[in-house]
Amino acid sequence: MRLRNLLFISIILSIFFTIGCGKKLHFSMVTSTSMDNGLPFFVLNGKEWKAEPGAEFVKLHFYADDAFSLSKVTIESCSGKFKDRIAAYVNFDEVYVSTDVELSNSELKFDPVVQARSVTLNFQRNQDICLKGVKFYDEKQKAYRTYTPEILKATATASETASPESSYSVMNLFDSKYENAYASVKGGAGVTFTFEFDEKQTISKLKLWNGYQRSDVHCIKNGRLKEFTLTGDDGYSEKVSIEDTMGSQVVNLTKPFKGKKLIMKVDELYPGLTEKGFVLSELRFGDGEDWLAIDTLPKSKDTAAKNFDAFTKASLRKVLNRGLTGMEIASIAPEATTDLPAGADPNVEVEENLDQPTSSDWTIRLRSDGTFFLEGSTARTDYDVGQENSNRFYGMGNYEIKEIGAGKIDLRIFGYLRKQTFTNFLDYGGGDCNGCGRDCNLVKNPDPNHTEKIFQEFVTLQVRGKKFYLTNAKKTENLDFSTLELGLE
């Protein structure tokens, strides 16, 4: 009788927790454009999480393992009410909503309910972001129980890495950022990854995001993994084949690995359309229902420290984690040459005989994590034929510091670019979804008036008092501007 009663109580408790505690929701990828005290998985695990002090337009990106019904998101601040609204983008840019500053500035509602694969929160001009938690709610307004990978102490090395290392390091396999990924130089077969865990691990499955899933065109043009061999402690060896698909895929190992050192050797690739090497976006190790990821906070902090140091030497530290906005100019005002950093050249290069645009509006945001966002529009009129040509640009990706000088810094910006030739502007709802990485689930047919491409551009950013000037070297002419005069947003 006692055993029967205990069994009955156990069943009742199981039903209670299943019904009372909400559905399970797994996030293998969570990241942010700025982080200070820990990885942003903290916000789903009841731990306090902070962005870098003073950072604006901070974004948190959540990528669910499976699509889920979403009716509401709540955000709990450590320090009371947010000063500015918070915007949310679902599935990159399929759905856009924002909080109401007057009513609830920490609650986002979706009516009707949406099917979400990814959710991005943009904190706009809120600074000193500190969060106690973020919760997602199902179609019945009930909070999900969220699960994230266990974060491990380990090292990861690769036999070769493309340049710049910060954008293509093997550690990028665990940072939840589609802007960053691992990329080989030119090689394929024979490239190896070596993972050394601080403590012995059991790994019975892998989750991989094959190829460069920053965008459709990145995925197609670069090589992807097809077969690789795992070897490790105690003579472990297993050959693994994976699919040439977008999104994540799970591979169950025929026998689990148990140990501290695991080596992954590439055997064969799916060839890229134009590139000889290969790219792998993300990787997780798993056992049972649990997923494991290597801690990338030290690498993120190191990258941010190096970028802050470089921009400080150029007297441009204030622009990192902020926004710059302005328009194209044909000449520099005299006052722009005053209040210069010590040793700075007073000249700003402006294209002579510039075909001045009839309208120009640009925004660029440079992050301490090495990523950027830009959005711009330029309209030019050909008076001979009475025709106005208008283009809008939307780009996100990474930057590489090429040279530092007094009051200026030379950058290579590269990544993903949308360009639209239009008669009406596209409405992106504020646009800046940098880091969302697209939902690389469908390859869309190209539209000649709405192109997507891999791009790079070389630019110089200079400070002159309270103004900033961004000059386009026009080595590739992907972006339609010569010199922009910008101010802090």
Side-chain angles (χ1 to χ4, degrees), residues 422-480:
F422 58 91
T423 52
N424 294 304
F425 277 52
L426 266 181
D427 181 6
Y428 283 103
D432 187 358
C433 194
N434 180 41
C436 298
R438 301 290 310 274
D439 273 334
C440 291
N441 298 309
L442 298 173
V443 178
K444 299 177 181 178
N445 293 322
D447 178 346
N449 292 320
H450 186 182
T451 60
E452 301 178 355
K453 64 184 296 184
I454 299 171
F455 91 108
Q456 69 172 354
E457 201 78 272
F458 294 84
V459 298
T460 298
L461 181 64
Q462 296 173 265
V463 58
R464 297 290 182 270
K466 295 183 180 181
K467 294 292 185 180
F468 303 87
Y469 296 89
L470 188 70
T471 301
N472 187 350
K474 292 194 173 181
K475 293 182 180 180
T476 58
E477 298 191 1
N478 283 303
L479 301 174
D480 185 9

Side-chain angles (χ1 to χ4, degrees), residues 398-437:
N398 303 69
Y399 62 82
E400 178 184 11
I401 298 170
K402 305 299 290 185
E403 189 173 343
I404 303 168
K408 71 175 184 177
I409 192 165
D410 294 335
L411 304 170
R412 178 175 77 99
I413 58 175
F414 59 99
Y416 162 77
L417 180 70
R418 282 185 182 182
K419 176 183 176 182
Q420 187 187 24
T421 301
F422 58 91
T423 52
N424 294 304
F425 277 52
L426 266 181
D427 181 6
Y428 283 103
D432 187 358
C433 194
N434 180 41
C436 298

Side-chain angles (χ1 to χ4, degrees), residues 134-362:
V134 174
K135 292 184 179 180
F136 299 90
Y137 294 77
D138 65 16
E139 68 281 3
K140 296 181 180 179
Q141 299 275 317
K142 196 168 193 62
Y144 285 99
R145 288 182 291 156
T146 51
Y147 294 83
T148 64
E150 178 185 352
I151 305 302
L152 305 175
K153 297 295 182 182
T155 60
T157 56
S159 59
E160 65 173 64
T161 304
S163 179
E165 190 275 341
S166 60
S167 297
Y168 301 120
S169 165
V170 67
M171 284 297 289
N172 293 342
L173 295 177
F174 306 97
D175 69 356
S176 300
K177 292 184 177 183
Y178 285 119
E179 297 93 338
N180 299 334
Y182 168 79
S184 66
V185 182
K186 293 182 179 179
V191 173
T192 60
F193 303 145
T194 301
F195 306 104
E196 297 190 64
F197 305 100
D198 285 11
E199 298 180 359
K200 187 175 181 179
Q201 302 296 328
T202 298
I203 298 172
S204 60
K205 60 182 180 178
L206 304 174
K207 179 179 287 190
L208 306 99
W209 288 254
N210 200 9
Y212 204 173
Q213 298 202 20
R214 164 181 276 175
S215 73
D216 300 340
V217 291
H218 281 83
C219 289
I220 293 166
K221 290 190 175 183
N222 290 278
R224 287 85 62 196
L225 288 182
K226 185 175 183 180
E227 290 185 349
F228 58 88
T229 300
L230 294 174
T231 57
D233 296 343
D234 301 322
Y236 180 85
S237 180
E238 179 161 355
K239 197 171 188 69
V240 178
S241 298
I242 61 176
E243 297 177 357
D244 189 17
T245 59
M246 308 286 260
S248 65
Q249 56 183 293
V250 175
V251 177
N252 293 303
L253 303 178
T254 58
K255 53 184 176 181
F257 162 78
K258 296 182 180 181
K260 297 176 69 174
K261 185 175 182 178
L262 182 65
I263 298 173
M264 179 176 169
K265 182 179 179 181
V266 177
D267 297 323
E268 189 176 355
L269 300 180
Y270 297 103
L273 186 64
T274 59
E275 305 299 323
K276 293 182 178 180
F278 77 94
V279 181
L280 183 63
S281 291
E282 290 286 322
L283 172 65
R284 301 290 181 269
F285 306 109
D287 184 41
E289 292 188 359
D290 300 322
W291 291 105
L292 315 168
I294 296 176
D295 187 3
T296 59
L297 183 64
K299 178 183 179 298
S300 297
K301 299 278 282 186
D302 180 65
T303 298
K306 289 178 179 177
N307 288 329
F308 272 122
D309 181 63
F311 277 74
T312 299
K313 289 178 179 177
S315 301
L316 285 161
R317 189 185 191 283
K318 67 173 67 175
V319 307
L320 284 183
N321 297 328
R322 303 285 296 279
L324 295 171
T325 184
M327 61 182 293
E328 185 166 20
I329 56 171
S331 62
I332 303 293
E335 58 268 22
T337 60
T338 63
D339 192 19
L340 303 179
D345 184 346
N347 296 315
V348 174
E349 185 176 339
V350 178
E351 183 179 337
E352 294 183 5
N353 303 315
L354 174 70
D355 176 18
Q356 185 71 10
T358 50
S359 67
S360 172
D361 185 13
W362 290 82

Side-chain angles (χ1 to χ4, degrees), residues 31-32 34-40 49-52 297 300-301:
T31 190
S32 176
S34 175
M35 58 190 80
D36 183 57
N37 67 320
L39 297 177
W49 177 84
K50 296 179 181 179
E52 293 163 298
L297 183 64
S300 297
K301 299 278 282 186

Side-chain angles (χ1 to χ4, degrees), residues 56-184:
E56 294 182 348
F57 301 99
V58 173
K59 276 166 288 300
L60 278 169
H61 308 287
F62 302 86
Y63 303 96
D65 291 12
D66 299 291
F68 64 100
S69 298
L70 179 63
S71 63
K72 183 172 67 172
V73 179
T74 58
I75 307 147
E76 186 177 4
S77 171
C78 306
S79 52
K81 188 177 180 180
F82 296 103
K83 295 179 180 179
D84 195 8
R85 67 186 180 90
I86 301 168
Y89 302 83
V90 176
N91 304 338
F92 184 61
D93 57 3
E94 287 180 12
V95 179
Y96 165 80
V97 300
S98 67
T99 56
D100 188 322
V101 177
E102 299 299 324
L103 298 177
S104 172
N105 209 22
S106 59
E107 185 174 271
L108 295 144
K109 293 184 177 181
F110 300 89
D111 187 13
V113 173
V114 297
Q115 289 297 305
R117 299 181 300 275
S118 67
V119 178
T120 298
L121 303 180
N122 185 331
F123 286 83
Q124 307 296 330
R125 289 186 175 83
N126 290 296
Q127 293 184 338
D128 303 322
I129 304 298
C130 177
L131 304 180
K132 291 183 178 180
V134 174
K135 292 184 179 180
F136 299 90
Y137 294 77
D138 65 16
E139 68 281 3
K140 296 181 180 179
Q141 299 275 317
K142 196 168 193 62
Y144 285 99
R145 288 182 291 156
T146 51
Y147 294 83
T148 64
E150 178 185 352
I151 305 302
L152 305 175
K153 297 295 182 182
T155 60
T157 56
S159 59
E160 65 173 64
T161 304
S163 179
E165 190 275 341
S166 60
S167 297
Y168 301 120
S169 165
V170 67
M171 284 297 289
N172 293 342
L173 295 177
F174 306 97
D175 69 356
S176 300
K177 292 184 177 183
Y178 285 119
E179 297 93 338
N180 299 334
Y182 168 79
S184 66

